[in-house]
Amino acid sequence: MKRFMTALVIAIMLISIILGSCGESATTTATTPPTTTTPPTTTTAATTTPPTAEPRYGGTLRIITPMDPTVLGYPPQSAGRATYFQYCVLERLAIYAPDVWESQDYQGILATSWEDTNDMKTWTFHLREGVKFHDGTPWNAEAAKWNADLFIAAGTSATFNDVESIDVLDEYTIQYNFNNPKGTFMVEIATGIYYISPTAYEANGGKDWAMQHPVGTGPFKFVEAVLGSHVKFERFDDYWAGKPYLEAVEYLIIPDATVSKAMMEAGEADVYVYSEFKETLEMDAMDGFYARYCKHHTPEGIWPSAKDETSVFYDKKVREAIEYAIDREAIVAAISLGSPEVEVMYQAPIPGDPAYREGWGRKYDVATARQLLADAGLEAGFETTIYVRSITGRWGDMAVMVQSMLAEVNITASIEFISPGQYMTFLLNGWPEGTLFISGIPNEPISTFVAIRDYRCSAPGIPKWNYSTVTTPEMCALHAALEASTTQETIRAAYIALSHQAMDDAVGIYMMDWPDTAVFADYVHSDWISYSTKVWNANLCWMEEH
Amino acid sequence: MITYIIKRLIQAVFILLLLTFIVYGVMRFVPGDPLLMYLGATDIQALSPEALDQARQELGLDQGILVQYFKWLGNVFQGDWGKSFHFKADVLLLISQRMPVTIYLGVLAFFFSSTIGISLGIIAAVRRGKWADTVATLAANTAITIPIFWLGIIMILIFGVSLGWLPIAGFTSPFDDFWLSTKKLIMPVICLMIGSMGSNARLTRTSMLEVIRQDYIRTAWSKGLKERVIILKHALKNSLIPVITVMGLQVRFIFGGAVLIEQVFAIPGMGRLLVDATFGKDYMVVQGCVLVIGIIVVLTNLIVDISYGWLDPRVRYD
């Protein structure tokens, strides 16, 4: 028995060591290295502004990020933050221009130019020549059509669901024909439509393989992904825009902000993206680091549910009263830890937007709030619930502050925290009538797209995936006009009218412009600037000796 | 003994069924539609209500919870543990990638908590009332009371950031780079073992004090045997019976601790997978993880029970 027990202990130890080693080997690996021999071109990389100092080749950029990628190489199912892992490998026809917030314009990547005809029902793209996928497959109109067909078959793109036909006009020209005008087609092109190698996809069994094996045309090739640990990419020497400076890019999946900061301080990472705000401010103030704030990333707000007259918020006066009752300045000062990087919002359009109205907004005024409630017959107040996405962080703090401010005007609000699953359900089916929902809105630089998405008047019953549940007849008419607009002038006019109407109707309480953040070691030269959260792929990034 | 083991294994099957059923029920009662978690934002915006219904049918989410549970159970026996809603990958594949890491971490923590804890307990008991006892007891009590999350962060700040002696996060296989792997595991293993080590030390001390007062130990002393022989050969074995019982129970605490420690040190183990899956309502993954952890805990307790016979020949399994 004694021998048996000794042997058992030794066996367990050995097995554990062997199993431990297996954990690391359970990775997904890249396909065969590219066989392309096309020399690097001298084309200026289209994505970004060049760095200011003299660039240097070499090094692995280690980027901390808090969450795993879910899908790496199957674009029809890419969503959310998971997509930024793809930027290194997969490319789009066009991306937002560096000055997109002002110009509302795009910049060609896999397409060099495009035009729409036939009232935005027909879109023609002229593709970049001389581009190859990492497996050597040539990029051309057939490859573009194959990718579009992949989206259509998956049925996950609202735009492609409406496609009438896709025509290959010549080797480098493709035409998309839609049944209805697609004024927001370019937003989808710039944000969601990535291109993968048809050859690699079909040779390796399709979707299940592609999910974790991206093969694109980007500046870096996929090497391996170990869920919960890291995702690694290496330089694609034949990249069409020139050889990238970095030898490799490695994303490290670190969920805890304190640990992430410690790793940066210990020199175990070079960049920390999607950094927690508190840690970002702390590191920004430290020697050896600098922070970047991506403005206009996530407007935070409070959304009253007011689908029908059973909701107390159906009355516009009540919605206005809520706005007046909330001291945004105080909330933002507290949540932003006094940082000027978080700006108070009183309206959805940001300064510079054509719909922005200087000085407009319902500013903190408890007396007006009480008067409006009295006018609505609710002088004695009422009870409601505030739903918040997370118990921790800014949303939880915001809920508590809003709760105390509403109490000042006799509104008794209880706070309920919702799970991620419940959050998705809320967005699809709405939240209970007569309640408030605190959440950020994923923003896009193209304001017309945001207006169409957020002020949509769905069919009677269920609002689908929008935060504003208020559907006044005026707003619905303006929304329909915006969707039907087919020239830049009419789109602009319709957008401004709809945006003003939405603000006048108090569809939601815009609270603050919450930035996206990243921290860099000071030896990292990066083009991660305001728009970059949607496009950054480390192509022009380089590191000094350190 | 064989009959006893078979009986215990049959019991274990029922325990595991009950465990998975409870977890399944709890996960399904958490608010939120699992279909929406599976599809994600992009799909939901694009899919029609009919397409959503079809997706619900394909995933079996349109059926009753009991039907879904037994369907899942049937599939598990056929080697199909379902698909992760979040990672869009097979649950068995995910667990097979993560489990070895957690087991490696857990076995190391278990080994060191046992050996160091028992050693401290022996020293404290044998040198009762002396400075060695004071130091060992103080160390054991401190170890029990330290919150491991806090300890992890403090160790990171001291040994990782200030001194730069140890890597802060991540996991490297010992076969890839043994030295780096060892360095990366020092802090997590200490955090994971420290509580159990304290418990083992205290329990060993108490148990050992009882044993060394027994007549047969006094007889051994009177025979002139060396202290080392008396303690290690005659006293330790008997004093270990209660310790072994507790060590068996500690396996579940080590897995519980792994959930925290893997999060702090960014170790891609099963504990972290379980946390991610729970927050994402990825109930197929949660079910799979709970089943695996349940099997490990049940089997460990069985081994502990069997070991009583080796420690104390008077124990019979009839």
Side-chain angles (χ1 to χ4, degrees):
Chain A
M1 190 67 180
K2 188 176 175 181
R3 281 183 186 166
F4 168 71
M5 290 307 292
T6 311
L8 186 67
V9 170
I10 292 169
I12 290 172
M13 291 295 292
L14 286 174
I15 289 166
S16 70
I17 290 173
I18 293 164
L19 289 176
S21 67
C22 296
E24 186 70 12
S25 63
T27 61
T28 46
T29 49
T31 50
T32 317
T35 54
T36 52
T37 51
T38 314
T41 66
T42 52
T43 314
T44 305
T47 52
T48 50
T49 313
T52 50
E54 191 60 34
R56 170 183 166 271
Y57 283 88
T60 296
L61 188 71
R62 300 158 301 170
I63 306 172
I64 291 176
T65 181
M67 62 181 71
D68 271 306
T70 49
V71 176
L72 282 165
Y74 182 67
Q77 276 194 356
S78 302
R81 286 184 175 181
T83 54
Y84 65 74
F85 288 97
Q86 299 176 348
Y87 297 166
C88 290
V89 186
L90 309 182
E91 293 190 305
R92 294 157 267 188
L93 290 179
I95 58 170
Y96 293 136
D99 62 345
V100 62
W101 291 102
E102 295 78 31
S103 68
Q104 302 280 290
D105 206 355
Y106 304 88
Q107 189 165 26
I109 298 292
L110 290 177
T112 50
S113 63
W114 53 91
E115 64 262 356
D116 68 274
T117 54
N118 190 23
D119 290 345
M120 293 190 173
K121 285 184 179 175
T122 301
W123 291 79
T124 306
F125 288 83
H126 304 282
L127 306 182
R128 190 177 294 280
E129 297 181 24
V131 177
K132 288 197 174 181
F133 288 98
H134 298 155
D135 65 341
T137 304
W139 161 250
N140 53 31
E142 286 296 342
K145 184 176 185 307
W146 182 90
N147 275 271
D149 288 340
L150 196 66
F151 272 90
I152 293 167
T156 55
S157 160
T159 302
F160 279 130
N161 284 351
D162 191 41
V163 81
E164 186 186 279
S165 65
I166 300 172
D167 302 323
V168 174
L169 301 185
D170 62 45
E171 192 177 359
Y172 293 104
T173 310
I174 186 167
Q175 193 173 66
Y176 300 87
N177 304 300
F178 294 99
N179 295 311
N180 296 290
K182 282 287 164 281
T184 55
F185 185 43
M186 284 306 294
V187 175
E188 191 150 4
I189 287 289
T191 56
I193 313 294
Y194 301 87
Y195 291 85
I196 59 172
S197 164
T199 318
Y201 182 94
E202 285 170 353
N204 291 286
K207 179 179 166 184
D208 285 345
W209 177 85
M211 284 274 193
Q212 300 301 326
H213 297 82
V215 182
T217 57
F220 295 92
K221 294 181 293 183
F222 174 71
V223 177
E224 67 171 9
V226 180
L227 291 178
S229 176
H230 64 271
V231 183
K232 195 164 185 180
F233 306 99
E234 66 182 15
R235 177 162 60 204
F236 180 41
D237 288 334
D238 295 332
Y239 183 50
W240 61 267
K243 183 174 151 184
Y245 298 117
L246 298 167
E247 269 175 31
V249 173
E250 185 174 13
Y251 280 94
L252 308 168
I253 320 296
I254 311 292
D256 187 86
T258 309
V259 176
S260 300
K261 183 180 167 223
M263 286 180 75
M264 291 289 285
E265 287 183 70
E268 290 184 22
D270 312 302
V271 183
Y272 174 18
V273 294
Y274 292 107
S275 50
E276 288 290 331
F277 198 70
K278 177 174 159 283
E279 278 71 19
T280 306
L281 293 179
E282 287 171 359
M283 295 179 78
D284 202 9
M286 291 165 64
D287 288 339
F289 303 104
Y290 65 93
R292 288 278 182 267
Y293 302 86
C294 175
K295 291 290 181 73
H296 322 315
H297 184 263
T298 314
E300 304 279 357
I302 306 171
W303 316 102
S305 183
K307 292 195 285 287
D308 57 47
E309 54 271 17
T310 62
S311 167
V312 70
F313 300 115
Y314 193 70
D315 187 338
K316 182 183 163 187
K317 289 192 188 77
V318 181
R319 300 196 299 269
E320 288 183 294
I322 300 282
E323 279 212 74
Y324 283 115
I326 292 171
D327 186 352
R328 294 170 168 92
E329 309 272 349
I331 291 175
V332 170
I335 290 177
S336 69
L337 308 170
S339 167
E341 302 295 342
V342 182
E343 290 170 10
V344 177
M345 290 178 85
Y346 286 98
Q347 51 186 310
I350 57 169
D353 186 286
Y356 182 75
R357 289 181 283 182
E358 190 67 44
W360 189 93
R362 299 180 181 92
K363 298 195 175 167
Y364 181 53
D365 186 343
V366 174
T368 305
R370 284 186 178 140
Q371 185 58 51
L372 283 161
L373 287 172
D375 294 346
L378 293 166
E379 196 168 11
F382 59 89
E383 291 184 0
T384 186
T385 302
I386 301 171
Y387 290 102
V388 195
R389 282 179 62 181
S390 168
I391 195 166
T392 55
R394 63 183 183 272
W395 288 311
D397 295 342
M398 203 195 305
V400 173
M401 284 185 268
V402 167
Q403 182 188 41
S404 65
M405 287 169 187
L406 292 180
E408 291 291 307
V409 292
N410 299 325
I411 298 173
T412 307
S414 56
I415 298 174
E416 282 196 27
F417 298 100
I418 59 173
S419 67
Q422 210 174 356
Y423 169 70
M424 301 286 273
T425 311
F426 272 23
L427 293 187
L428 184 67
N429 298 330
W431 45 103
E433 282 297 85
T435 63
L436 300 165
F437 177 32
I438 290 182
S439 178
I441 300 182
N443 206 7
E444 293 293 341
I446 307 300
S447 47
T448 44
F449 170 81
V450 175
I452 287 174
R453 183 194 66 187
D454 290 349
Y455 308 140
R456 177 168 38 200
C457 295
S458 56
I462 301 171
K464 192 175 180 184
W465 198 263
N466 54 347
Y467 292 84
S468 164
T469 62
V470 180
T471 52
T472 62
E474 295 83 3
M475 273 183 63
C476 291
L478 290 168
H479 191 276
L482 177 57
E483 279 202 302
S485 301
T486 54
T487 65
Q488 293 304 326
E489 291 72 29
T490 54
I491 287 174
R492 182 186 165 95
Y495 160 67
I496 292 171
L498 173 61
S499 187
H500 288 177
Q501 187 67 47
M503 295 302 100
D504 292 342
D505 283 344
V507 298
I509 303 156
Y510 287 82
M511 299 278 290
M512 65 187 87
D513 184 355
W514 192 265
D516 203 359
T517 50
V519 180
F520 297 81
D522 59 6
Y523 53 79
V524 177
H525 290 253
S526 166
D527 53 313
W528 198 94
I529 53 174
S530 63
Y531 72 99
S532 295
T533 190
K534 304 285 182 192
V535 298
W536 186 63
N537 63 12
N539 175 32
L540 291 185
C541 205
W542 61 277
M543 293 188 288
E544 294 173 17
E545 291 273 12
H546 61 278
Chain B
M1 167 111 74
I2 299 294
T3 316
Y4 174 78
I5 292 172
I6 291 169
K7 216 188 278 179
R8 286 291 305 270
L9 286 173
I10 292 168
Q11 279 176 8
V13 170
F14 284 104
I15 290 169
L16 291 172
L17 282 176
L18 191 64
L19 177 73
T20 53
F21 183 71
I22 291 170
V23 173
Y24 198 88
V26 168
M27 282 303 291
R28 295 308 301 272
F29 281 114
V30 172
D33 186 345
L35 176 71
L36 304 186
M37 296 300 293
Y38 177 73
L39 294 173
T42 311
D43 297 5
I44 293 166
Q45 289 176 78
L47 291 176
S48 64
E50 295 76 34
L52 285 174
D53 286 343
Q54 195 187 334
R56 195 180 298 281
Q57 278 177 20
E58 282 169 9
L59 291 167
L61 294 170
D62 58 328
Q63 294 164 326
I65 289 180
L66 268 178
V67 176
Q68 288 183 49
Y69 172 73
F70 284 109
K71 208 172 163 186
W72 170 80
L73 203 59
N75 289 339
V76 164
F77 283 116
Q78 293 170 51
D80 176 8
W81 289 42
K83 207 155 195 168
S84 162
F85 285 4
H86 180 65
F87 294 110
K88 324 278 189 213
D90 286 338
V91 172
L92 201 55
L93 177 73
L94 287 173
I95 290 177
S96 66
Q97 287 174 349
R98 305 291 190 100
M99 187 175 67
V101 177
T102 300
I103 290 182
Y104 183 47
L105 188 66
V107 167
L108 286 175
F110 186 78
F111 175 77
F112 286 112
S113 71
S114 307
T115 49
I116 299 174
I118 291 170
S119 303
L120 276 179
I122 294 169
I123 293 166
V126 173
R127 302 281 178 263
R128 191 186 177 200
K130 307 272 175 51
W131 67 268
D133 179 22
T134 310
V135 171
T137 307
L138 184 69
N141 287 337
T142 310
I144 288 170
T145 51
I146 286 179
I148 59 172
F149 185 85
W150 176 84
L151 179 67
I153 298 292
I154 291 297
M155 287 180 77
I156 283 173
L157 294 176
I158 295 173
F159 298 107
V161 178
S162 298
L163 300 172
W165 290 351
L166 296 171
I168 289 171
F171 175 80
T172 300
S173 164
F175 282 138
D176 287 348
D177 186 338
F178 185 77
W179 179 230
L180 181 63
S181 170
T182 306
K183 284 206 297 183
K184 280 189 174 178
L185 281 175
I186 288 174
M187 289 197 284
V189 167
I190 289 174
C191 288
L192 206 50
M193 58 154 264
I194 196 149
S196 304
M197 184 201 76
S199 302
N200 289 339
R202 281 180 47 156
L203 201 60
T204 306
R205 179 182 181 274
T206 308
S207 180
M208 181 67 92
L209 282 174
E210 265 181 40
V211 170
I212 58 179
R213 287 193 201 110
Q214 302 285 318
D215 288 345
Y216 74 94
I217 298 294
R218 202 171 298 126
T219 306
W221 282 113
S222 63
K223 280 169 73 180
L225 294 177
K226 287 180 182 171
E227 184 186 39
R228 188 171 56 85
V229 175
I230 294 168
I231 298 300
L232 296 182
K233 193 171 177 189
H234 298 289
L236 179 63
K237 210 170 159 185
N238 284 337
S239 65
L240 277 185
I241 292 176
V243 181
I244 293 284
T245 307
V246 170
M247 279 163 62
L249 297 173
Q250 281 169 355
V251 170
R252 69 164 194 247
F253 290 115
I254 284 177
F255 272 100
V259 170
L260 262 180
I261 290 306
E262 287 175 6
Q263 198 74 3
V264 172
F265 292 98
I267 295 170
M270 211 161 62
R272 201 163 142 205
L273 180 67
L274 188 57
V275 171
D276 292 342
T278 306
F279 279 119
K281 207 168 187 261
D282 198 347
Y283 69 92
M284 286 286 187
V285 175
V286 174
Q287 281 289 103
C289 290
V290 167
L291 182 60
V292 169
I293 292 172
I295 289 170
I296 291 169
V297 170
V298 165
L299 287 181
T300 310
N301 282 315
L302 181 60
I303 291 169
V304 165
D305 288 351
I306 293 168
S307 69
Y308 290 154
W310 170 67
L311 291 165
D312 187 349
R314 291 170 300 180
V315 174
R316 290 286 173 271
Y317 295 101
D318 303 331

